[in-house]
Amino acid sequence: MKICGVELKANDAIICLLSHSDSVVHLPDCRVSKLTIGNANDTQEIRKFQFSFAKLVEDYQIEKVVIRQRQTKGKFAGGAVGFKLEAAIQLIEGLNVEVVSPTEIKESLKRNPLAIAFKETGLKQYQEQAFATAYACVMKRG
């Protein structure tokens, strides 16, 4: 199964591709590590972001997208732009999208700890939460 983990931060959708087969996790190369939107109040920009994300899913034959859930209230609440990006991803026709809470991710990682240190994955540091989201969801199903 090929999964795309997503963490939404400000105007960015930080992504990490991960595939899981025969109890082995692979990190396939990807042409981008994040998709950014310029002006979230411009309908064309939202459509461009949505098209870019859909194209990425199609090109890499991603079967599922998992988005790390953000708080809606309080000190650590996600911004409005992040919620717009989340909706744009969720509304892509035919795409299997799941929003996963940080608690679920933490519990899955506790049951299935990573065999290597994150630094050894070759991913960029800012991709760590997107990776953890994808990894936790793959292991939760496996």
Side-chain angles (χ1 to χ4, degrees), residues 43-106:
T43 304
Q44 290 306 337
E45 287 280 326
I46 296 279
R47 286 190 177 129
K48 182 179 162 197
F49 170 84
Q50 188 180 44
F51 176 82
S52 298
F53 200 95
K55 186 72 176 137
L56 186 83
V57 166
E58 179 187 321
D59 290 352
Y60 289 97
Q61 291 144 14
I62 296 166
E63 297 164 59
K64 182 173 196 143
V65 174
V66 287
I67 301 173
R68 182 181 189 88
Q69 184 180 38
R70 287 144 306 120
Q71 291 181 329
T72 54
K73 296 179 186 170
K75 186 177 175 183
F76 300 107
V81 175
F83 289 107
K84 281 185 172 185
L85 299 182
E86 182 178 308
I89 293 169
Q90 287 177 315
L91 293 173
I92 294 172
E93 194 68 38
L95 184 57
N96 181 9
V97 180
E98 182 180 346
V99 178
V100 184
S101 76
T103 307
E104 285 180 77
I105 294 167
K106 195 182 282 186

Side-chain angles (χ1 to χ4, degrees), residues 104-115 132 135-142:
E104 285 180 77
I105 294 167
K106 195 182 282 186
E107 286 171 3
S108 178
L109 291 174
K110 197 183 288 183
R111 283 191 305 273
N112 307 289
L114 198 54
Y135 180 79
C137 289
V138 157
M139 298 318 273
K140 185 169 73 173
R141 308 214 179 337

Side-chain angles (χ1 to χ4, degrees), residues 17-32:
L17 298 185
L18 191 138
S19 67
H20 184 252
S21 59
D22 302 325
S23 299
V24 178
V25 173
H26 300 280
L27 294 169
D29 287 331
C30 185
R31 66 177 174 257
V32 294

